[in-house]
Amino acid sequence: MAENHIFPFLWMRGEAEEILREEIGKIAECGIKAVCVEARPHDDFCGDGWWHDMDIVIDEAKKRDMKIWILDDKHFPTGYANGLIEKKYPERKKLYINCTTADVFGSSHKLTLNISRMLKPTIGYWEIGKPVNEEERKNNRMLAIAAVRFYEGDVFTEDVIDLTDTFDGTFATFELPEGQWRVYVIYKTRTDGGNESYINMIDKESAHTQIEGVYEAHYAHYADEFGKTIAGFFSDEPQFGNTSEMGFDMNVGRRKMPLPWSDELQEMMEEKYGNTFLSYLPYLFAETKEKQMGVQIRYDYMDMVSKLYQKNFSDMIGAWCAEHGVEYIGHVVEDNGIHSRLGMGAAHYFRAMSGQDMAGIDCIGGQIVYGAPVETRRGMVDADGEFYHYALGKMGASCGHLDPKKKGRTMCELFGAYGWSFGVRDMKYLLDHLLAKGVNYLVPHAFSMADYPDIDCPPHFYARGNNPEFPYFAELMKYGNRMCDLLSGGRHIASVAVLYDGEADWSGEHMPMQKVCRELLGSQIDLDIVSLDMLCDLSAYNGACDGNTLQINGETFGALVIPYVKQISARLADVLTEMDGLPVFFVDAMPDQVIGQGEKEIRLPKSCVQVQLINLCETLKAHGMYEVEAAPAYKNLSVYHYEKDRHIFMLLNESAEQSFSGNVCLPIGEDVVYYDAMKDCYENAEVKPAEHGKGVWVSVDLEPGESCVLMEKKEIVCESAHCSFAEMTEGCNVIDLSEDWMVGKRKAKEDPETMKMDVVKTLTPISDTEPAFAGVIRYEKTFTLDGAEERLPKEAYLKAGHVYEMMKVTVNGQQAGIRLAPPYQLPVGEYLNAGENTLQIEVATTPARDQLNYPQPPFDFSHEAMEPTGMFGEVVLFVKEEK
């Protein structure tokens, strides 16, 4: 029996007991054996009302043998510590360094700046009156004063003069050489940055407030359930939060951006640079012409803050959970490259995941869109389709594969904030996309018990009984759990490792890793993304490098691919030297410099070579670094190779328009079966040995958005042969069923028995006449198969042209099957009679059009066209008669 791999969010607002129990029952109907309770909408988190509701949830979970995960804060994102910073520990607020500047001309006489006035941000007239914590601002303290010489525009030279010692407590009086200078006053502050109610992730004492406010509070009430009913805690997007903006360009050096700080960080700076670090601080805010010391200090700063986040937040919570018998999971913000930046980011994805027991990502709000892999999508934010489609899933899954602590597990929060129009059809594609990248645990977002329609980040799966697609969502979850279980407990097989681009992003000019991932995955060359930390400490990751191959936690890579970066760190240069012999491909160009070593020539092993991006796949294949081959070549075919008791291959056609009909060469030598995870059944595949002796060719036909699983047969017993729909229907008689139907409809909560049926000559979208209808539409038809009573059709197949969105087919009172997504075709022969037959097709819509019946929310994340509803176009029956 498959283990549970799904634990959806259950939003708790203080609902009545019967509603709580009903909703958990609905979750259980989906075959789901766990929930993640979220308190964001609850008014009394960690208060009497919360414990009352948690008692009910725990009791109901026990009755159903379900597990509970707890989202670990009252407010989003994680880091509010249930308000303890506000209520108990104001001295533990976030600490930042910020700066103000004065542009001056050097001269032969002394100049004076009123530094006491510069220990706060400058503001414009339009900002006068903006609320400010003036009492807290009085505690701002000067850290450094330094003058940097102008070069041109807003770029400076690395000619700096430390003026810190000229400060007398109020003024700084100094002389500067001739020329134009910018004087930076850098000060420490707890108010001139992001949210003052949140913990400081890089301060041990402040970060522990999160444990005190949430973790210890739950342990005090439910210690006996830890490791039993309570499986663990979920952190949702913890972040540096050094700005209140939601932008993604939060690289160090961004103008006027306050930077996270702590006493421990200052000690690390002093240990590396001595007191001279004060004179380098302006380069955290200013661009330099030389890009030497400026790049060095920025790289070191990001390296230090990401390590402190890892140690003081992620690892500390992970250790606490391990000591208390539960697990720690969740995700940070990965969007648009911010996984290696500040602001909403956590500075380094792999370090941020360090303390967690699963790797974690999220995919919500339209980030991945079927058929749009490289477009920039407009939604809650502008989404870089290339990153989401080609890098997000691989980054998360790679962490799950390569970090021994994760045990091969990668979780994704998914579906939320896509909107009411995002139904089970689209969920099926998104789920398959993530599976094909290596995700094997799911946190669907969300089950909401609020009155329908809840405008908070829909879709909501049950929606108090108002979602017509809920029964089909349940089927999707059962499918998802089977697939997740299939792709767990073994090892991923990839040909090459791609270097994580976090450190490259810190150092300036570079190629984002998604460019390389896109090229490789489009040629079915699978990969994992490896971090520099892994390469520098292979033994900690059960790894080694034998000079020809790289092994990390059971995976073997034939090469390391490094996206272009102008300057590399000394750590990377050293580790490449240590791995001499391993093929290393620098994409597009070799690096110019080692950070901090000026113009000194880089010396790398001869095994490090340059290759153009457009030639990368051809070069790798020439070296035999690939597992799967597609004929004809098809860039939209995703392939995921997994091995446990047998080799397993998941294939997905990611095109929304083109079908793939061809052959795939798999690196195995045994009989192959198709596995249908929706039906949980197998079919024999026809295979042919590959001409080059490497594996077998398997015929594959995939409609747009369609997926399949191929695996070694071994001891699997199955008699039927797999055929494409075209093969199955070849030579069949075609019976047109497109006209003369009885059609009825009902809303999701209405009694099916009261449905009124009307005669319809030609099928057209229901939305043509009822644009605000959403629900279940029933189509009924009686037809006759000619022939003697004893002559049943040998085979028969039903195909519907247009269905929005899913259909359930019943023939002569027997359910023949359901289809959650195109193609809407299925075998029905075993249910047919010679003579008269009755056919019923039920189509469920999304709740999207029903929203027109309610007051519209006061905001719009995005706008999209509404699809039609119902079944229309051709409906045909293919019948193969007995000879």
Side-chain angles (χ1 to χ4, degrees):
M1 183 176 179
E3 294 184 4
N4 180 69
H5 292 254
I6 306 177
F7 29 99
F9 284 152
L10 174 63
W11 289 358
M12 294 173 56
R13 292 174 169 83
E15 289 82 3
E17 179 174 346
E18 60 271 19
I19 294 176
L20 269 172
R21 293 188 185 274
E22 177 192 16
E23 197 79 8
I24 294 172
K26 292 299 177 181
I27 294 171
E29 282 182 24
C30 300
I32 296 171
K33 301 295 289 182
V35 296
C36 183
V37 294
E38 180 177 350
R40 180 166 61 89
H42 202 287
D43 290 333
D44 195 24
F45 182 57
C46 291
D48 292 342
W50 176 254
W51 306 128
H52 170 270
D53 294 349
M54 279 294 294
D55 289 345
I56 295 168
V57 171
I58 290 173
D59 179 66
E60 190 66 24
K62 284 182 172 181
K63 291 178 181 178
R64 298 179 180 277
D65 193 26
M66 297 173 72
K67 301 293 185 185
I68 296 171
W69 296 84
I70 301 168
L71 199 140
D72 68 349
D73 220 332
K74 159 61 182 167
H75 291 316
F76 164 86
T78 289
Y80 179 65
N82 193 29
L84 285 195
I85 296 294
E86 290 178 307
K87 294 179 285 189
K88 189 176 180 181
Y89 300 116
E91 72 279 6
R92 298 183 186 178
K93 291 178 181 179
K94 289 177 180 292
L95 181 65
Y96 314 94
I97 56 170
N98 207 342
C99 75
T100 52
T101 63
D103 294 341
V104 301
F105 286 94
S107 64
S108 59
H109 56 270
K110 291 184 177 181
L111 302 169
T112 299
L113 283 174
N114 185 347
I115 302 300
S116 64
R117 290 283 297 172
M118 297 180 71
L119 300 182
K120 61 183 179 180
T122 56
I123 65 171
Y125 284 108
W126 59 92
E127 297 174 290
I128 293 174
K130 184 179 178 180
V132 172
N133 187 341
E134 294 291 356
E135 286 303 309
E136 182 60 64
R137 181 170 278 176
K138 291 176 182 177
N139 297 318
N140 290 354
R141 292 292 179 266
M142 191 276 294
L143 177 61
I145 307 172
V148 184
R149 187 187 292 273
F150 270 99
Y151 168 65
E152 185 175 303
D154 206 30
V155 178
F156 300 82
T157 70
E158 293 188 357
D159 181 4
V160 60
I161 298 176
D162 188 352
L163 302 175
T164 306
D165 289 342
T166 68
F167 180 55
D168 65 6
T170 302
F171 302 101
T173 302
F174 50 83
E175 291 184 21
L176 291 174
E178 289 185 0
Q180 298 178 53
W181 298 81
R182 175 165 291 171
V183 176
Y184 280 80
V185 175
I186 297 168
Y187 63 94
K188 294 194 277 189
T189 177
R190 295 189 186 276
T191 192
D192 298 336
N195 195 316
E196 295 182 40
S197 304
Y198 273 66
I199 62 172
N200 185 354
M201 300 287 184
I202 59 175
D203 178 87
K204 182 177 181 180
E205 183 180 42
S206 181
H208 189 273
T209 312
Q210 186 70 33
I211 293 176
E212 179 183 344
V214 179
Y215 291 72
E216 290 176 347
H218 281 83
Y219 188 73
H221 278 78
Y222 301 117
D224 291 344
E225 299 296 341
F226 272 47
K228 298 174 185 175
T229 307
I230 295 177
F233 291 87
F234 184 110
S235 274
D236 194 19
E237 302 188 1
Q239 54 196 243
F240 278 104
N242 52 298
T243 73
S244 56
E245 300 174 54
M246 285 192 64
F248 301 106
D249 58 339
M250 300 299 178
N251 304 75
V252 175
R254 188 174 182 273
R255 188 168 177 266
K256 293 187 175 181
M257 183 172 74
L259 300 176
W261 200 255
S262 70
D263 292 343
E264 189 173 1
L265 173 60
Q266 185 163 333
E267 291 169 4
M268 293 171 72
M269 283 281 186
E270 290 171 346
E271 182 178 347
K272 175 152 190 175
Y273 293 104
N275 286 334
T276 59
F277 90 92
L278 294 173
S279 64
Y280 301 145
L281 291 181
Y283 301 142
L284 296 178
F285 302 91
E287 294 291 341
T288 72
K289 173 178 71 76
E290 297 88 346
K291 296 188 183 298
Q292 296 296 322
M293 199 60 229
V295 173
Q296 175 78 63
I297 190 71
R298 291 182 181 190
Y299 184 95
D300 288 339
Y301 173 83
M302 290 298 292
D303 189 45
M304 291 174 185
V305 296
S306 58
K307 286 177 177 175
L308 288 174
Y309 179 106
Q310 174 183 349
K311 178 173 76 79
N312 291 334
F313 183 77
S314 184
D315 283 351
M316 181 167 62
I317 294 179
W320 187 94
C321 287
E323 291 168 4
H324 292 79
V326 292
E327 290 192 311
Y328 175 45
I329 64 171
H331 73 96
V332 294
V333 182
E334 312 91 12
D335 305 11
N336 297 348
I338 204 168
H339 55 83
S340 60
R341 298 171 187 166
L342 301 175
M344 293 185 296
H348 190 291
Y349 174 77
F350 289 90
R351 291 176 183 173
M353 289 289 107
S354 174
Q356 300 196 1
D357 291 285
M358 299 182 191
I361 58 173
D362 80 336
C363 183
I364 64 168
Q367 293 169 338
I368 294 174
V369 177
Y370 174 39
V374 296
E375 288 77 2
T376 296
R377 310 296 299 186
R378 305 289 188 188
M380 294 176 64
V381 297
D382 289 355
D384 174 7
E386 190 175 46
F387 167 75
Y388 292 113
H389 193 91
Y390 295 104
L392 175 61
K394 297 305 294 186
M395 182 175 70
S398 299
C399 182
H401 296 152
L402 304 178
D403 182 352
K405 182 181 178 70
K406 309 298 186 276
K407 301 176 184 177
R409 300 178 297 174
T410 299
M411 175 280 304
C412 183
E413 175 193 327
L414 70 169
F415 303 151
Y418 267 83
W420 286 112
S421 63
F422 194 72
V424 173
R425 177 199 63 186
D426 295 328
M427 291 179 189
K428 169 70 162 55
Y429 165 74
L430 178 56
L431 173 55
D432 280 345
H433 170 90
L434 294 165
L435 290 167
K437 299 298 179 287
V439 170
N440 52 10
Y441 281 80
L442 310 174
V443 177
H445 176 314
F447 279 87
S448 171
M449 295 176 282
D451 291 340
Y452 172 82
D454 182 0
I455 64 173
D456 189 350
C457 297
H460 303 298
F461 310 126
Y462 180 57
R464 298 291 293 273
N466 289 279
N467 191 337
E469 293 189 353
F470 176 70
Y472 302 96
F473 174 80
E475 293 304 312
L476 179 66
M477 291 297 96
K478 294 168 187 175
Y479 162 82
N481 202 67
R482 282 191 287 269
M483 284 296 296
C484 287
D485 195 65
L486 178 69
L487 301 175
S488 298
R491 70 184 183 103
H492 171 234
I493 296 179
S495 300
V496 298
V498 174
L499 185 64
Y500 174 60
D501 65 0
E503 285 90 343
D505 190 46
W506 304 342
S507 63
E509 186 180 336
H510 73 290
M511 172 187 288
M513 62 187 173
Q514 55 263 32
K515 301 287 185 186
V516 172
C517 294
R518 175 183 178 182
E519 197 72 16
L520 295 174
L521 296 176
S523 292
Q524 293 77 52
I525 299 176
D526 205 357
L527 60 99
D528 267 322
I529 296 169
V530 304
S531 70
L532 180 55
D533 289 351
M534 295 176 187
L535 300 179
C536 291
D537 192 7
L538 284 172
S539 61
Y541 293 88
N542 300 326
C545 183
D546 62 9
N548 297 307
T549 61
L550 174 66
Q551 298 92 38
I552 303 178
N553 201 36
E555 294 202 34
T556 299
F557 306 103
L560 174 65
V561 180
I562 302 179
Y564 168 71
V565 54
K566 184 175 179 63
Q567 296 191 48
I568 62 172
S569 67
R571 289 178 75 216
L572 178 55
D574 290 345
V575 81
L576 292 178
T577 301
E578 292 169 8
M579 297 191 303
D580 188 7
L582 175 72
V584 176
F585 297 96
F586 280 94
V587 179
D588 276 2
M590 301 292 285
D592 294 345
Q593 302 172 28
V594 173
I595 296 170
Q597 295 185 13
E599 303 295 330
K600 182 180 177 182
E601 181 183 358
I602 299 178
R603 298 198 175 188
L604 297 174
K606 292 181 179 180
S607 54
C608 296
V609 297
Q610 173 184 327
V611 61
Q612 294 300 306
L613 181 62
I614 59 173
N615 299 325
L616 176 60
C617 294
E618 179 184 355
T619 302
L620 292 172
K621 287 187 174 182
H623 286 78
M625 295 175 192
Y626 67 99
E627 293 285 330
V628 175
E629 185 177 359
Y634 187 65
K635 66 179 181 179
N636 291 312
L637 182 65
S638 289
V639 180
Y640 183 69
H641 184 183
Y642 201 73
E643 182 187 19
K644 42 187 185 179
D645 60 336
R646 70 195 71 235
H647 287 274
I648 301 165
F649 303 86
M650 180 181 179
L651 284 68
L652 171 64
N653 179 6
E654 305 234 33
S655 172
E657 299 167 340
Q658 297 178 324
S659 299
F660 175 77
S661 182
N663 296 283
V664 176
C665 187
L666 306 179
I668 53 178
E670 298 198 17
D671 292 338
V672 177
V673 294
Y674 281 83
Y675 173 59
D676 185 336
M678 193 64 71
K679 297 180 181 177
D680 196 19
C681 65
Y682 301 90
E683 294 176 332
N684 290 313
E686 184 178 347
V687 301
K688 295 179 182 179
E691 304 82 2
H692 46 58
K694 184 182 177 182
V696 295
W697 287 98
V698 183
S699 176
V700 174
D701 291 272
L702 294 173
E703 295 293 322
E706 193 175 13
S707 65
C708 72
V709 174
L710 303 171
M711 63 176 71
E712 291 177 303
K713 185 173 183 180
K714 292 188 179 290
E715 75 287 351
I716 294 172
V717 177
C718 74
E719 303 298 330
S720 59
H722 177 79
C723 297
S724 68
F725 191 77
E727 292 171 327
M728 289 188 292
T729 56
E730 185 177 0
C732 286
N733 296 326
V734 180
I735 301 174
D736 190 350
L737 303 177
S738 303
E739 296 192 338
D740 299 319
W741 289 80
M742 298 289 293
V743 180
K745 57 188 179 298
R746 65 176 176 86
K747 291 195 171 184
K749 295 183 76 170
E750 292 176 346
D751 186 350
E753 300 303 318
T754 64
M755 186 181 291
K756 180 179 178 293
M757 307 295 291
D758 295 311
V759 177
V760 173
K761 175 67 177 176
T762 302
L763 295 176
T764 58
I766 296 297
S767 49
D768 285 357
T769 55
E770 296 189 55
F773 173 79
V776 178
I777 307 160
R778 180 182 297 169
Y779 300 84
E780 292 181 350
K781 184 180 184 68
T782 300
F783 63 93
T784 300
L785 292 179
D786 296 332
E789 189 70 28
E790 65 275 5
R791 286 184 61 199
L792 294 173
K794 179 182 180 182
E795 297 172 20
Y797 306 91
L798 180 71
K799 180 176 181 178
H802 301 286
V803 176
Y804 290 89
E805 283 196 335
M806 61 279 312
M807 68 177 189
K808 178 174 69 174
V809 176
T810 303
V811 180
N812 294 322
Q814 299 181 74
Q815 183 172 313
I818 64 172
R819 286 293 178 267
L820 303 185
Y824 297 103
Q825 55 199 32
L826 71 166
V828 295
E830 63 182 291
Y831 308 104
L832 291 173
N833 301 323
E836 187 172 88
N837 292 269
T838 60
L839 173 63
Q840 182 187 98
I841 299 176
E842 281 199 347
V843 174
T845 78
T846 73
R849 287 182 175 270
D850 192 38
Q851 306 316 300
L852 299 175
N853 297 308
Y854 295 88
Q856 298 300 292
F859 56 85
D860 293 293
F861 289 145
S862 62
H863 299 279
E864 58 185 20
M866 290 186 289
E867 291 182 317
T869 53
M871 179 176 70
F872 55 93
E874 262 195 341
V875 182
V876 295
L877 185 67
F878 298 88
V879 177
K880 187 172 291 187
E881 301 287 353
E882 288 279 11
K883 294 184 179 178

